[in-house]
Amino acid sequence: MRDQDTQRVFLKTRSVRLSVNADRMNAQSVKQLIEQMFEERGALHYGESVTQLEHALQCASLAQQAGVGSALVIAALLHDIGHMVHDDAAAAFKEARDDHHEALGAKWLRRHFVDAVVQPVAWHVQAKRYLCLRESGYWDALSAVSKQTLVLQGGPMNEAEATRFEQQAYAQDAVMIRRWDDTGKREDAEVLPLQHFLDLVPQVVMPTVDGVLGSL
């Protein structure tokens, strides 16, 4: 078997195990699973000059600098986790296919986290489409990769789509995630370590993950 094929089989096997065996974990186990995913897939690139881990840490650091709550910081950290649970997001990018990472990521996060984490992740791609319509100059400032994926994701919103987006409960949080997403692609950025952000996880997991409401 070719090395590339071997890698794809390995990633697919890991994806199945990460997605199927991740249900009903306590907060510590969720932290460990996230750490494991970044260890195994955080070095991957999907077109941009930074790795998945570098991008995640930059976005989470920007969120914390903005003074937002723990839920939005964790959403910033994990907004692209769908790329890592995807069977082969790198291949999807090379083949110009939308990997729907926002939906995959939200589905995974919904097992463990409160809506204030899940929903901004679910809507952050739509926030890019929204800003392309509403904000002059936004499209011009996007990276080449973001412009390419925008086409796959439906292009700029129309007025009706934008109105519906604005009515979503977490629309503004999604817009903030989007802005950090756009900014967090510097190769020389100073960031806080992953463990710093993982320590916030117990504050924003679903209460039922640990079995009792008082555990948080």
Side-chain angles (χ1 to χ4, degrees):
M1 182 179 291
R2 295 177 300 169
D3 289 346
Q4 185 178 12
D5 292 334
T6 301
Q7 183 183 26
R8 290 189 180 186
V9 170
F10 171 76
L11 289 176
K12 186 172 183 178
T13 301
R14 292 296 306 154
S15 178
V16 170
R17 192 172 67 154
L18 289 172
S19 60
V20 173
N21 293 345
D23 292 322
R24 299 301 177 187
M25 291 182 166
N26 61 32
Q28 183 60 32
S29 296
V30 174
K31 287 173 59 177
Q32 291 172 348
L33 182 60
I34 294 168
E35 185 174 25
Q36 177 186 350
M37 281 195 278
F38 277 116
E39 285 177 354
E40 295 182 357
R41 299 188 177 188
L44 295 175
H45 290 258
Y46 300 125
E48 302 286 2
S49 60
V50 293
T51 66
Q52 284 294 293
L53 177 59
E54 290 167 341
H55 180 55
L57 293 178
Q58 286 188 46
C59 292
S61 295
L62 289 167
Q64 192 147 76
Q65 290 167 18
V68 301
S70 296
L72 200 51
V73 173
I74 293 299
L77 178 74
L78 302 178
H79 73 281
D80 276 348
I81 199 168
H83 286 315
M84 293 192 286
V85 300
H86 189 279
D87 285 350
D88 196 345
F93 173 77
K94 290 178 182 178
E95 296 165 7
R97 291 185 286 110
D98 185 3
D99 68 359
H100 301 286
H101 72 283
E102 74 282 12
L104 289 172
K107 181 179 180 181
W108 189 92
L109 292 168
R110 193 169 288 114
R111 297 175 180 142
H112 310 298
F113 291 97
V114 296
D115 273 357
V117 174
V118 178
Q119 293 303 321
V121 173
W123 287 97
H124 82 278
V125 168
Q126 297 304 310
K128 176 170 69 169
R129 300 183 60 225
Y130 171 78
L131 288 169
C132 284
L133 174 70
R134 285 283 190 255
E135 189 169 295
S136 176
Y138 177 79
W139 183 91
D140 294 325
L142 288 174
S143 71
V145 171
S146 287
K147 289 176 180 176
Q148 178 182 339
T149 56
L150 174 66
V151 175
L152 302 175
Q153 293 158 348
M157 284 185 174
N158 59 40
E159 189 62 39
E161 290 173 323
T163 298
R164 288 194 295 270
F165 174 82
E166 290 166 346
Q167 295 169 351
Q168 299 300 321
Y170 292 95
Q172 291 309 307
D173 286 352
V175 167
M176 285 191 283
I177 293 284
R178 185 69 237 172
R179 295 194 188 281
W180 300 323
D181 191 358
D182 295 329
T183 305
K185 300 174 182 180
R186 291 174 46 197
E187 296 181 55
D188 59 346
E190 293 185 7
V191 297
L192 294 165
L194 178 60
Q195 189 58 52
H196 171 83
F197 298 111
L198 293 180
D199 287 343
L200 301 177
V201 165
Q203 300 177 29
V204 292
V205 292
M206 288 288 291
T208 53
V209 170
D210 278 335
V212 290
L213 290 171
S215 65
L216 302 181

